[in-house]
């Protein structure tokens, strides 16, 4: 397969990473600009595309600035189903992993996840989010100190791309999901969104706020279960 000119810098970056990995003792570095690097599966189909304003190769990783990763479905398509954007990150080719301490945004038809500080396994879709985590969907918003996300990197247009989001620390739930419990805002220490169950699970005890007044709910099962609409995915 011929690589277009605008993709050669990205392809060169991956080749050079392999060279450096085979000789870890050598202190090599290279500065690249306008990276555009496709990633293919074993059948030759593009599954991801990594772009970045610049990249600095050092040791066995690639330091990226102003980057984006687009995820493509199994069927041949030039349209991505989700995008992952970051200010700066370290990309480790051997593990297909990115990590960094800056801002991250995952955008999909199921909602938007934002955080600061992250580690992402690109093949499995497991995200570890270190601080300032926010998940926005059509029915609710979840905010928390830390979080974990399960994401389907090969989701089609009819699949749920965001499988689950778990937030811990100081967690706040607002939106229609909170109003179903009679509150404007619900505060807790752990909450989990499960796409397969179409539910948000909120760990008791919780503090519910309505018109500036609050009430403490602590009796009952371990989790307060809030059903959300099971809306069909866009075609």
């Amino acid at each position: 397969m011929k690589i277009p000119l605008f993709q050669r810098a990205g392809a060169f970056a991956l080749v050079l990473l392999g060279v450096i990995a085979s000789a870890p003792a050598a202190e090599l570095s290279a500065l690249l600009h306008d990276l555009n690097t496709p990633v293919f599966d074993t059948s030759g189909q593009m599954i991801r595309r990594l772009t970045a304003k610049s990249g600095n190769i050092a040791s066995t990783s690639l330091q990226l600035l102003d980057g984006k990763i687009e995820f493509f479905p199994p069927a041949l398509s030039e349209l991505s189903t989700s995008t992952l954007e970051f200010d700066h990150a370290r990309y480790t080719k051997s593990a297909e992993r990115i990590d960094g301490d800056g801002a991250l945004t995952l955008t999909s038809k199921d909602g938007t996840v934002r955080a600061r500080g992250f580690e992402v396994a690109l093949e499995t879709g497991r995200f570890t989010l270190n601080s300032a985590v926010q998940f926005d969907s059509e029915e609710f918003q979840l905010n928390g100190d830390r979080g974990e996300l399960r994401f389907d990197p090969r989701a089609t247009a009819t699949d749920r791309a965001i499988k689950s989001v778990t937030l811990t620390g100081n967690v706040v739930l607002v939106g229609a999901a909170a109003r179903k419990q009679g509150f404007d805002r619900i505060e807790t220490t752990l909450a989990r969104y499960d796409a397969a169950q179409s539910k948000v699970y909120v760990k008791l005890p919780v503090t519910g706020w309505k018109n500036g007044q609050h009430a403490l709910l602590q009796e009952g099962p371990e989790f307060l279960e809030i059903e959300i609409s099971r809306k069909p995915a866009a075609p």
Side-chain angles (χ1 to χ4, degrees):
M1 178 181 295
K2 293 184 178 179
I3 301 176
L5 287 174
F6 67 87
Q7 292 182 355
R8 289 183 182 174
F12 170 74
L14 296 186
V15 171
L16 188 53
L17 274 176
V19 172
I20 295 173
S22 66
E27 295 184 0
L28 301 176
S29 65
L31 181 62
L32 303 170
H33 296 280
D34 299 323
L35 275 74
N36 189 320
T37 304
V39 178
F40 300 91
D41 63 15
T42 55
S43 68
Q45 182 180 333
M46 184 169 65
I47 57 176
R48 290 187 297 279
R49 180 168 54 215
L50 184 155
T51 58
K53 181 179 179 180
S54 66
N56 184 34
I57 297 179
S59 184
T60 58
S61 63
L62 181 62
Q63 301 289 340
L64 302 171
L65 179 66
D66 291 339
K68 178 171 69 173
I69 298 175
E70 299 169 274
F71 297 89
F72 295 88
L76 292 176
S77 174
E78 295 185 358
L79 299 176
S80 62
T81 55
S82 303
T83 60
L84 176 63
E85 298 176 273
F86 48 85
D87 295 337
H88 54 85
R90 176 178 59 181
Y91 171 52
T92 305
K93 173 62 179 174
S94 60
E96 280 299 319
R97 181 186 69 235
I98 64 168
D99 62 89
D101 57 8
L104 169 143
T105 302
L106 174 69
T107 304
S108 78
K109 58 183 174 52
D110 302 324
T112 302
V113 178
R114 297 179 177 86
R116 181 164 292 277
F118 54 89
E119 180 176 310
V120 181
L122 297 172
E123 290 287 343
T124 62
R126 290 184 176 271
F127 289 52
T128 299
L129 307 172
N130 298 334
S131 68
V133 185
Q134 179 177 306
F135 174 41
D136 286 291
S137 74
E138 290 188 3
E139 284 199 61
F140 63 90
Q141 180 186 99
L142 270 174
N143 294 274
D145 294 335
R146 297 167 298 280
E148 293 185 356
L149 167 68
R150 296 190 65 184
F151 166 76
D152 184 357
R154 303 302 308 277
T156 68
T158 57
D159 292 333
R160 299 293 184 184
I162 296 178
K163 298 298 186 182
S164 68
V165 181
T166 302
L167 301 189
T168 58
N170 297 306
V171 180
V172 177
L173 170 69
V174 297
R179 291 193 294 272
K180 286 182 178 181
Q181 301 300 309
F183 298 109
D184 299 322
R185 183 172 85 250
I186 294 175
E187 298 175 353
T188 182
T189 58
L190 186 153
R192 177 169 60 90
Y193 161 69
D194 188 314
Q197 299 297 322
S198 291
K199 289 183 178 180
V200 177
Y201 297 87
V202 183
K203 184 176 177 60
L204 293 177
V206 305
T207 300
W209 291 83
K210 177 73 172 180
N211 297 327
Q213 303 295 317
H214 70 276
L216 179 64
L217 303 180
Q218 53 187 354
E219 300 296 332
E222 183 179 6
F223 287 91
L224 181 66
E225 298 184 13
I226 305 174
E227 292 191 3
I228 61 175
S229 299
R230 191 184 293 269
K231 295 182 179 180

